[in-house]
Amino acid sequence: PALFEELAIPYTGSDAYVLTTTLDKWLTKVIVRERSSVDTPRARLVTARDLHGGERERSDGSLGVPLPAIVKPNYEGSSKGITDDSVARDVKALSTIVERALRAYPAGLLIEEFIPGIEIAVPFIEGVAGDGVRTPVEYVIAEGHRSRYNLYDYRLKNHESDAVDVRCPADVPRDVLARIRSAAAATIRALGIVDVGRIDFRLGH
C-alpha cells in the first residue's frame, strides 16, 4: 500500500499504517485496549534490554504476567514462532522459553496470559450487511493433528491445512456469538481497518 500510494495507484484494503500497526502485537493490544471496551489477555512486551540491561523480572520471576503464559514473537505474522513449546506453566519454564525466543526474535516478545480454549475468527467485508462484520467461525482441528494446547499454529496454517475445518457458525451459544461480533466490530473501528479483514479470538473454555 505504501508503494501504491507513492505511485498514485488505487488499491483495496487498509493502508500501510494499519498493516504495520497490526503486525505489532503489543501495539495492537494497546490501541484496542485504549480505544474500545474489548478485553485482551494480560501481557507485557519484553526485549533483551529489559532482561539484561537493567529491568529485571519480578522477584517471583513471573515478569508480571499470570501463569500459564504464552511467549510470542511480537513482530511476526501467521503464528510464526508459536508452538506448544511457547507455553510456560511455571517460572522456570518461562525463563527458559524467553531466553530461547529472544535469540530467535531479538526485536522483542509478547508474553501473554495463556487462554485455554478454541480459535474463533470473524471475517470483515466493508459494506456488507451494515457494519461488514460477518458470522464468527470456528477452526476445528482433526484428531491426531491437534497440539497439546489446541493452538492454530504455523504448522497447521502452512503445512497441514487439510487437517483444519472451518465450522460456520462457531459452535457457541447465540449470546456469545453476538458478543464476539460486537468485539470484532469495536476492534475494527479502533484499528481503522477498512475494506476487508479478519479478527481472531481465543475463546476461553
Side-chain angles (χ1 to χ4, degrees), residues 119-131:
E119 304 280 353
I120 302 287
V122 183
F124 167 69
I125 306 174
E126 190 168 5
V128 175
D131 61 7

Side-chain angles (χ1 to χ4, degrees), residues 158-174:
N158 293 278
H159 302 299
E160 301 177 21
S161 58
D162 289 346
V164 182
D165 287 326
V166 178
R167 178 184 290 145
C168 181
D171 186 20
V172 299
R174 291 179 63 182

Side-chain angles (χ1 to χ4, degrees), residues 23-148:
L23 192 61
D24 183 324
K25 298 180 180 71
W26 174 253
L27 182 56
T28 298
K29 287 174 68 73
V30 170
I31 292 172
V32 171
R33 183 179 65 228
E34 295 297 321
R35 300 190 64 188
S36 77
S37 59
V38 176
D39 290 330
T40 67
R42 288 170 288 181
R44 70 168 289 184
L45 177 67
V46 171
T47 66
R49 180 177 296 178
D50 293 328
L51 294 187
H52 306 300
E55 183 187 347
R56 296 297 299 176
E57 65 266 31
R58 288 179 17 168
S59 59
D60 63 0
S62 68
L63 296 168
V65 178
L67 294 171
I70 185 167
V71 179
K72 306 175 180 179
N74 190 51
Y75 302 104
E76 298 291 346
S78 301
S79 297
K80 184 179 178 182
I82 301 173
T83 68
D84 275 348
D85 292 338
S86 304
V87 178
R89 304 197 69 86
D90 56 55
V91 169
K92 182 178 179 181
L94 179 60
S95 178
T96 300
I97 293 168
V98 168
E99 292 282 357
R100 181 182 68 231
L102 276 175
R103 288 194 293 271
Y105 302 99
L109 307 172
L110 181 72
I111 305 177
E112 188 174 60
E113 175 186 8
F114 177 69
I115 307 296
I118 61 175
E119 304 280 353
I120 302 287
V122 183
F124 167 69
I125 306 174
E126 190 168 5
V128 175
D131 61 7
V133 177
R134 313 307 297 143
T135 301
V137 302
E138 177 185 351
Y139 294 115
V140 181
I141 303 166
E143 200 69 39
H145 293 265
R146 195 174 304 147
S147 73
R148 182 172 29 150

